[in-house]
Amino acid sequence: MFAPPHRVYRTEPLLLRVFQRSFLSRTFKRSANNSPQSSAIPTEDFLNAPESRVSKYLWHRYESGGRLQRASERSDRFDKKGLMKWGESGIPIRFTVGQNPTEIWRTFRAPNLWLRDNCRCSKCVNQDTMQRAFDTFALPENIEPKDVVTEKEGLRVTWANDNHVSVYPWEWLFRHKGSYSTDFDIPKTNEKVYWSSEIKYQPPSVSYEEVMSFDAGVGTWLSKVRTFGFCYVDNCPVDPIATQKLLERIAFIRLTHYGGFYDFTSDLTLKDTAYTSEALGPHTDNTYFSDPSGLQMLHLLSHEEGEGGESLFVDGFNAARTLLTEDASSYEILANTPVPWHASGNEGVTITPSKNFPVLDLEAGKPFHEAALLQVRWNNDDRGVVEVRDDPEHVSSAELWYLAARKWDAILKREHMQYRPRLEPGRPIIFDNWRVLHGRAAFTGKRRMCGGYINRDDWISRWRNTNFEREEVIKQIL
């Protein structure tokens, strides 16, 4: 996730304690008319609260085997212990917030139908296929619990309509409670390392033998791709068949209008500048597909009777972070302006995506400066016509896009942003096509290159299953 630069200040413990008391006393102040059953909880209970006896994720007042009460009316919110009551709108659960000292807990209301729909027991989920085994919409629309109990293993709910019993682990509830949390103690996947030209001193690599011999080697390989966006494979046989088998250690090779695994020279057999000896600026491939390829491998098999052709790679996520820091409005424009893309150079082929896509694809539901960047889609050569939506009182959307794109392009072309290696026979490179832009210098002579594409979802699946146990993989996605 990218965020604007911010300063970090040191907070004195005593000052922090005073702020906690002030914050909590304002937040939980009793109303003189509140009854004991519906009153807020005294501030000291939060400041001096022991760890929960049920789960580290829960507020300390929950008890193992404790039965949560049903509210009789909207104003009937708390029981005598201060635990929130459940009702037709769902089951409120108070979780500890682990890293923000000014927020002792957060309440998550789990909707009744959402809970019932996500029961993971063997009756509700086929344990062989991990698919839902019942019709969600055959459940009563106003389904409610009959009994709710807090246990060590999780929240146990008995449903009123059919007495079905569901158990929801506390960690699962904590992970799915929304964006309030700091998500402490949830296993982290690979953190990304952003890079620039300095990566040339220690680029990530693995050995061919390691990848071909063990799934653990594939896991190491893909973890480096996940972290850095690319990785070399050392000591690969200089042979297209061996290279194809190497790529297939990840998943099946994606077929496109160029074929599957490719082995080509600069003879313009296919109508694309990649099949020439011309220079190529930094770009991602397949911008014209609704779902661009996730990985691309390039293996230089030979370069004879000529020179030049150095490759270039740019960490697109680092470039985007730089743009956000230097010109947030341009970043927002590139994230919010859909752009057309196309592939129409070959006879009988005219490919466009299912809809126009922006240059920067962000996660949904968050402000642009907080949303995680998911994908960079950039190839100026394959871009269509940016729509002019003219407003007499404002600059047209096309003009704004061109200004933002010019700044983006300038960042990509900065010398220190570009890693410029010379590819070598026996050392193929694989890179994340959703993150890393690639290009090359012009060259003379005859070059032979082979490689191929892997779908994004397939390589992420392979990465998960070679780095985590099956149980942890299921936790990550469900």
Side-chain angles (χ1 to χ4, degrees), residues 257-258 270-272 342-351 382:
H257 54 300
Y258 297 118
L270 294 170
K271 302 299 188 292
D272 189 282
H342 74 101
S344 22
N346 292 283
E347 189 70 27
V349 175
T350 307
I351 299 174
D382 291 340

Side-chain angles (χ1 to χ4, degrees), residues 119-134 470 474 478:
C119 178
R120 309 301 299 173
C121 77
S122 58
K123 293 181 179 178
C124 294
V125 173
N126 183 312
Q127 300 301 300
D128 292 324
T129 67
M130 299 308 295
Q131 292 174 296
R132 189 172 281 105
F134 64 93
R470 178 68 175 169
I474 297 301
L478 292 176

Side-chain angles (χ1 to χ4, degrees), residues 395-408:
V395 180
S396 76
S397 58
E399 290 174 291
L400 292 174
W401 186 89
Y402 280 112
L403 288 171
R406 181 180 296 276
K407 293 175 181 177
W408 166 249

Side-chain angles (χ1 to χ4, degrees), residues 14 46 78 85 254 332 342 416 431 458 472 477:
L14 180 59
F46 289 94
F78 298 95
K85 297 182 178 181
R254 177 169 177 167
E332 182 179 16
H342 74 101
H416 77 274
F431 54 91
D458 292 309
E472 178 55 36
I477 64 175

